[in-house]
Structure formats: structure tokens, C-alpha cells
Amino acid sequence: ILSGKGGIGKTTLTTNLGYALTELGKKVTLVDANITTPHLGFHLGIQLAPKTLHDVLRGDIELRSATYTHPLGFKVIPGSISVNDLVNVDIGNLKDVTEDLKGTADFVLLDCAPALGKEAVVGMQAVNEVLIVTNPDLPSVADALKTLKLARGSGKKVLGAVVNRVKWRAEEMKSWEVEDMLGVPVLVEIPEDRNVPKAIASKIPILDFAPKSPASTEIRRLAHWMIGKEFTG
């Protein structure tokens, strides 16, 4: 799961899409592939996990030692929030992590670093398919386009785009304008939802915190699309 810039809502989408797929009976593992500024643990209340992906990338521990089962049913491989844990971390080992996860889950979702730095590129190279997340404004979509081109240049299949934090204002780009610019379908438009910051503060996915909220509904719609199941609301 990639975005061209920070603050788009990529981590929120990762956690909640993972839970939505779990609700649909799928085995899901979430990986915090944002090595420098990992946020997945903050969203799920495991930001102080004793063993993390950083330890795995350093070669200090086996992957299973950094894998945690969330109470909602999916598995999480969090990153370390300590600056000291960046020492001797080899981001190039991320591909080995995703290889090790093959066959262990129906979906492995990587919450990648934003923009086009080395971390984002390595995260992109470690996956088979890419989901682009953007906001409905021109700078965000322009950055998303750069990310999309890089993904395609790396031979990755781009599933489509998720337009997040939609306020339905006149100045926002419409879904068809986003599609025209990116050249991929907009899979869902997730509205700005006052429940999202409350859910993050509570360290609970919004699908559990406010299951009938507008954002929850659209994320469930996306999860249904991903498994080819009709969404009835």
C-alpha cells in the first residue's frame, strides 16, 4: 500500500483493510515497512513491541518472533519506534521477509514508506501488487502518479487507486479526474470521517470503533472488491 506523500491515510487504510479482510474469513498479516517512521504499531496499540521487524532486518531474530496476533484476528509485524534500532538495519532484507510470508496468509499487506525514497522503492520491490492511496487534491494525485509510474516500471501490477479523506467540496478532484490522471480505476472514495482520529487515539481500527461509520463502509466495500465478493452494505 503506497502513497506519493505522507499524511494521506495509508496506515489507517492498511490496518482497517486488514481487519475488513479478516472479517471476510481471510488470513491476513500486516507488515510495517516504513522503517524510518513506523506508525502501524501506534494505530494498533503495539508501538512498544519487544521484538520488531527491525530486529528481523538486522538478522537478530527469526520472523516468527516479531509476529503478533491482534485480538481482532489478523497478524502484525510492527516496526520499532526507537531511533537506536535504525542502526545496522538492512532494508534490502525486506524481500526475504515477504518471501518467508508466502503461503502463511491470504493477504500480506505492507504499509510502505511514503514518497519515492529508498524505503518506498524497496517496499515496492518486495510485493506483487500495489494499491495507490491519494487525497483528492492535485499535489497528492501528482505525487501518486510518480509512485504509480515507478511501480509499473518495476513490473508491479497496480490494482487501482483509493481516494481518501474526501470532503465532497467543489475544489476537490472528482474520481473521473483522478482516473484520467493516473490511468487506473478509483476503487473507492473514503470520506473524511470524524471517527477516524478518535479510533486512532483509541488504538482501535475504525471498523471496530465505529463499524457503521462512512469510512468503515467504504473500506469494507474495498475488501469485498479485493476478494471478488458483492458488497451489499
Side-chain angles (χ1 to χ4, degrees), residues 12-227:
T12 299
L13 179 64
T14 302
T15 56
N16 285 281
L17 180 58
Y19 179 37
L21 289 166
T22 303
E23 284 185 321
L24 292 170
K26 301 300 179 182
K27 293 181 180 179
V28 180
T29 299
L30 310 182
V31 181
D32 197 333
N34 187 349
I35 305 304
T36 305
T37 52
H39 292 158
L40 199 62
F42 286 111
H43 284 239
L44 296 171
I46 52 174
Q47 69 272 17
L48 298 177
K51 302 294 181 183
T52 68
L53 180 63
H54 288 66
D55 299 305
V56 177
L57 296 178
R58 270 199 307 271
D60 292 344
I61 63 172
E62 296 292 324
L63 184 60
R64 62 178 178 272
S65 298
T67 304
Y68 302 85
T69 300
H70 191 273
L72 294 175
F74 50 86
K75 293 184 178 179
V76 186
I77 302 174
S80 172
I81 61 174
S82 171
V83 174
N84 295 331
D85 278 336
L86 292 173
V87 178
N88 296 325
V89 167
D90 187 354
I91 184 64
N93 291 332
L94 187 61
K95 178 67 173 177
D96 295 332
V97 170
T98 54
E99 286 291 329
D100 288 345
L101 289 171
K102 280 185 177 178
T104 66
D106 299 306
F107 289 90
V108 177
L109 304 183
L110 269 66
D111 181 22
C112 293
L116 299 174
K118 181 180 179 181
E119 285 181 44
V121 172
V122 171
M124 188 183 305
Q125 292 170 342
V127 302
N128 297 322
E129 299 174 325
V130 170
L131 192 63
I132 302 289
V133 189
T134 185
N135 292 159
D137 60 84
L138 187 56
S140 299
V141 178
D143 287 341
L145 179 59
K146 296 176 187 176
T147 304
L148 189 151
K149 287 183 175 179
L150 186 61
R152 282 184 167 161
S154 301
K156 304 303 176 183
K157 178 181 179 181
V158 180
L159 298 176
V162 172
V163 182
N164 194 35
R165 307 191 70 174
V166 177
K167 302 180 183 69
W168 314 112
R169 292 177 178 169
E171 65 271 18
E172 292 181 342
M173 293 182 68
K174 307 298 187 291
S175 61
W176 65 266
E177 293 175 311
V178 176
E179 290 180 337
D180 281 354
M181 189 165 175
L182 298 182
V184 297
V186 169
L187 303 175
V188 290
E189 293 179 283
I190 302 174
E192 182 76 13
D193 190 330
R194 60 186 176 83
N195 291 294
V196 171
K198 295 178 182 179
I200 294 172
S202 300
K203 302 180 178 66
I204 300 171
I206 188 173
L207 267 70
D208 190 52
F209 181 84
K212 296 188 182 300
S213 68
S216 295
T217 298
E218 293 309 305
I219 293 171
R220 286 197 174 93
R221 188 188 309 277
L222 176 62
H224 279 70
W225 177 87
M226 291 184 70
I227 68 168

